[in-house]
Amino acid sequence: MLTKKQMEKFAELAVLVGANMQPKQEVVIRCDVQCADFAHLIAEKAYKFGAKRVHMQWLDEELARIELMKAKKSVLSKVPDYDKAINKYFIKHKVCLISISAGNPNIFKGCKADKLEARQLAILKSRKEIRNATMSNYLRWTIVSVPTPGWAKQVFPDVDPQVAVNKMWDAIGHIMRLDTPDPTAAWREHIDTLHRRADFLNSHNFEYIHMRNARGTDLKVGLATGHMWIAAEEEGQDGVPFTANMPTEEIFTAPHNRKINGTVVNALPLVNNGNVIDNFSITFKDGKVVDYKAEVGYDALKAILESDEGVLSLGEIALIGKNSPIAESGILFYNTLFDENASCHLAFGASYPTTVKDGNSLTTEELAERGMNSSIQHVDFMVGTKDIDIDGIGYDGKVVPLFRNGEWVI
């Protein structure tokens, strides 16, 4: 378990480094009711540093399971009007958002796939406007995590629940650099390192990224015209920097959705909407999924890929070395926030407008012309293995090694 001082530093990181809340700004905290203590600590710190108002959006994954088991599909297919109204208020008042991601990976195990899909699509459609506001950096946002019993037991199944929670706290504390004398300074140094690598990638303006490993991945990912590699700290449309994911180890950009060819095999399980998907492969031709297989969670993968046309292409490619603190922990977290930062990853669905030059000022048609992908979904899945080799390929055909045996060479 973290000390009281470390917990306070953690909450301060979420407010000041993650969302980078500004004085007199409104803050939204989203989390499951199981995380109430930490949410209250974040709220306290937000007010300490000048928040105008803190809004709590409580989630309840146990109630969500009950609804999926008992409610009619027609009910699950609709989201109450007040959900849209609340989100419009948040956009209008330019809040910053802090989410606590700590779900039980198997919470929806046994629920009917069609009801789960109906509920997820309804939520995605209802929250399209606020999702666009965060993906375009109109609103600053961040995601952090704290242990919950259900999640911890999935990660450490062979120990008592409380021991599992304590082990999770130890792991998260180290990964979040809370065991350093000055966590904020440690994060600043880490962010600077990631930005130096992003600068190298941007200076080369590669046309393709080529990924290969022994599991069967052999994939060439074209990059969007005018793409930009982004690392750790981004800039909001208001000019204020923020760090969307905490922890973060990735350097990412936008693929060209008509220039993706080959096959990719997952390196870690994908947990999506309470379902585990594993041992799957995806084959692309000219930017579209043309074949897919999964030994675990095939129906859940099928539901993702049938949710809309845009999800059949990629919206993100992210590079992460195998020696990151998360990867070195050797822990499979069953949580995308952590697992995606232990492994190079791709994402089905929407591109971030911020990953292409002047993206926020371009029309939908202009973004599409550059190869940017559009979808109601954005689902990350991990592909980086300890033996993965990655090359950047220039428009002149020149090949520049980026990764060998899973680690950066630049």
Side-chain angles (χ1 to χ4, degrees):
M1 188 69 182
L2 300 182
T3 66
K4 180 180 179 181
K5 183 178 180 180
Q6 286 175 321
M7 290 289 287
E8 290 184 351
K9 288 290 185 182
F10 193 0
E12 288 178 9
L13 282 173
V15 174
L16 300 180
V17 177
N20 197 1
M21 183 206 76
Q22 300 297 290
K24 298 182 180 180
Q25 185 172 21
E26 296 189 46
V27 180
V28 177
I29 302 174
R30 292 174 170 169
C31 74
D32 195 87
V33 292
Q34 298 178 85
C35 306
D37 288 346
F38 189 61
H40 292 155
L41 184 56
I42 291 176
E44 182 181 325
K45 294 298 180 181
Y47 278 120
K48 175 184 176 181
F49 293 110
K52 178 181 179 180
R53 183 191 295 267
V54 176
H55 305 266
M56 299 299 300
Q57 282 200 309
W58 297 112
L59 309 175
D60 186 339
E61 64 179 16
E62 293 292 343
L63 177 59
R65 178 179 175 82
I66 293 170
E67 289 175 340
L68 280 163
M69 298 297 289
K70 302 297 183 180
K72 293 181 179 180
K73 183 179 175 180
S74 59
V75 173
L76 297 170
S77 299
K78 297 179 181 179
V79 174
D81 290 342
Y82 64 73
D83 190 78
K84 287 184 179 180
I86 290 170
N87 288 327
K88 285 183 178 180
Y89 175 93
F90 293 157
I91 295 170
K92 178 181 178 180
H93 292 272
K94 296 184 179 179
V95 304
C96 64
L97 297 103
I98 301 174
S99 297
I100 304 174
S101 172
N104 180 343
N106 289 303
I107 190 64
F108 298 137
K109 187 175 182 178
C111 296
K112 291 184 178 180
D114 62 330
K115 294 173 74 174
L116 191 60
E117 180 183 2
R119 174 180 178 272
Q120 180 69 0
L121 285 176
I123 292 172
L124 286 169
K125 290 176 181 178
S126 173
R127 298 178 181 173
K128 182 179 179 180
E129 289 184 5
I130 196 162
R131 179 172 156 276
N132 289 343
T134 56
M135 291 192 75
S136 67
N137 293 353
Y138 181 78
L139 300 181
R140 282 174 282 108
W141 55 281
T142 195
I143 305 175
V144 296
S145 282
V146 296
T148 57
W151 178 27
K153 191 61 179 173
Q154 174 74 20
V155 177
F156 299 108
D158 299 326
V159 299
D160 292 337
Q162 188 55 53
V163 175
V165 169
N166 290 341
K167 287 170 72 70
M168 284 283 284
W169 271 119
D170 290 341
I172 291 173
H174 177 66
I175 288 167
M176 290 295 297
R177 297 168 171 82
L178 300 174
D179 52 1
T180 62
D182 187 342
T184 299
W187 267 92
R188 294 302 331 163
E189 181 180 355
H190 173 56
I191 288 169
D192 289 345
T193 298
L194 293 178
H195 279 278
R196 284 194 294 271
R197 286 184 173 140
D199 290 344
F200 176 90
L201 295 171
N202 284 324
S203 70
H204 282 73
N205 188 34
F206 295 117
E207 183 179 11
Y208 288 95
I209 297 295
H210 190 188
M211 315 176 91
R212 293 159 293 168
N213 67 17
R215 282 179 63 85
T217 290
D218 188 350
L219 184 73
K220 286 181 72 174
V221 180
L223 301 181
T225 305
H227 69 274
M228 296 188 301
W229 291 92
I230 295 175
E233 193 172 68
E234 303 178 50
E235 186 174 286
Q237 289 192 32
D238 56 5
V240 177
F242 70 103
T243 305
N245 291 340
M246 296 188 78
T248 183
E249 303 287 339
E250 66 180 320
I251 301 168
F252 65 98
T253 194
H256 193 299
N257 68 356
R258 297 183 295 279
K259 296 169 63 174
I260 307 165
N261 289 281
T263 296
V264 62
V265 180
N266 75 301
L268 295 170
L270 163 61
V271 179
N272 180 258
N273 204 20
N275 286 290
V276 177
I277 307 168
D278 200 7
N279 297 326
F280 63 91
S281 63
I282 311 290
T283 299
F284 293 86
K285 183 177 181 182
D286 297 331
K288 296 289 185 182
V289 174
V290 294
D291 191 26
Y292 58 93
K293 302 173 183 177
E295 293 181 12
V296 178
Y298 176 84
D299 288 342
L301 179 61
K302 183 173 183 285
I304 293 171
L305 295 175
E306 291 183 350
S307 57
D308 73 0
E309 181 67 21
V311 82
L312 292 173
S313 194
L314 298 176
E316 179 185 351
I317 177 170
L319 305 183
I320 297 145
K322 67 181 180 183
N323 295 319
S324 73
I326 302 173
E328 288 183 334
S329 75
I331 299 171
L332 177 60
F333 284 92
Y334 295 94
N335 180 299
T336 300
L337 177 63
F338 287 86
D339 292 335
E340 75 168 7
N341 282 294
S343 169
C344 296
H345 58 270
L346 304 169
F348 299 119
S351 303
Y352 291 97
T354 53
T355 53
V356 68
K357 187 177 181 181
D358 301 322
N360 285 327
S361 64
L362 298 177
T363 65
T364 301
E365 292 74 18
E366 289 170 331
L367 288 169
E369 180 65 24
R370 293 195 181 189
M372 300 289 279
N373 202 43
S374 177
S375 171
I376 62 172
Q377 294 270 30
H378 182 92
V379 181
D380 296 288
F381 62 101
M382 285 58 75
V383 301
T385 54
K386 291 184 178 180
D387 69 336
I388 197 165
D389 289 342
I390 301 176
D391 295 322
I393 304 174
Y395 284 87
D396 59 359
K398 182 180 178 181
V399 177
V400 177
L402 302 177
F403 275 59
R404 288 295 179 265
N405 290 319
E407 190 51 80
W408 290 96
V409 296
I410 61 172

